[in-house]
């Protein structure tokens, strides 16, 4: 998933700043580095790489990984968990755009029958 930040902030404030190594990220999530690699293989998150080629994760990516772990812990296959999260993100973005258009007067409300 792409970074979300639109305003310049310091690395301490930036949810998209790749501050965490794979080992630290796995420790924080209570999972394994292999789980994080699998999320990358399924294109749920794409960690940035350090100059030495090591994966680095942002807080935003860790929140996504935590959501994936919740689904997997509930018995959802990892492929399905990744797809669910991607669809949830797309739905949230579409709802945000719809609301933005609605408040600008660009979209009329659908009529419902009583």
């Amino acid at each position: 998933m792409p970074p979300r930040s639109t305003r310049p902030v310091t690395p301490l404030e930036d949810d998209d700043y790749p501050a965490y190594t794979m080992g630290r990220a796995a420790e924080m999530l209570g999972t394994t580095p292999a789980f994080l690699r699998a999320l990358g293989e399924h294109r749920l998150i794409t960690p940035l790489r350090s100059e030495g080629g090591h994966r680095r994760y942002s807080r935003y990516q860790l929140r996504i990984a935590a959501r994936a772990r919740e689904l997997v812990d509930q018995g959802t296959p990892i492929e399905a968990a990744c797809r669910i999260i991607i669809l949830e993100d797309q739905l949230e973005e579409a709802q945000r755009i719809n609301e933005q258009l609605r408040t600008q007067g660009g979209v009329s409300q659908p009529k419902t029958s009583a």
Side-chain angles (χ1 to χ4, degrees):
M1 299 193 137
R4 306 171 301 109
S5 295
T6 57
R7 66 178 180 94
V9 293
T10 68
L12 290 175
E13 299 172 309
D14 187 355
D15 273 351
D16 295 316
Y17 183 76
Y20 303 97
T21 63
M22 176 180 278
R24 180 69 178 129
E27 180 184 315
M28 291 171 67
L29 295 169
T31 189
T32 64
F35 179 78
L36 292 172
R37 282 191 294 275
L39 296 181
E41 290 168 11
H42 293 292
R43 300 176 193 245
L44 181 63
I45 56 176
T46 304
L48 292 177
R49 299 282 183 148
S50 69
E51 288 184 23
H54 300 284
R55 290 172 179 89
R56 304 286 296 196
Y57 296 88
S58 68
R59 287 187 301 226
Y60 177 66
Q61 290 172 324
L62 294 184
R63 285 194 297 272
I64 292 169
R67 173 73 175 125
R69 178 158 185 236
E70 285 176 16
L71 291 170
V72 169
D73 287 350
Q74 294 170 3
T76 305
I78 194 165
E79 302 85 15
C82 291
R83 186 68 181 141
I84 288 167
I85 294 166
I86 290 167
L87 290 171
E88 287 174 343
D89 187 61
Q90 290 172 345
L91 176 60
E92 184 179 306
E93 177 68 8
Q95 289 172 331
R96 186 192 62 74
I97 291 168
N98 282 342
E99 183 59 30
Q100 186 178 34
L101 291 171
R102 198 173 295 122
T103 59
Q104 294 173 356
V107 174
S108 61
Q109 292 289 325
K111 295 181 180 180
T112 57
S113 57

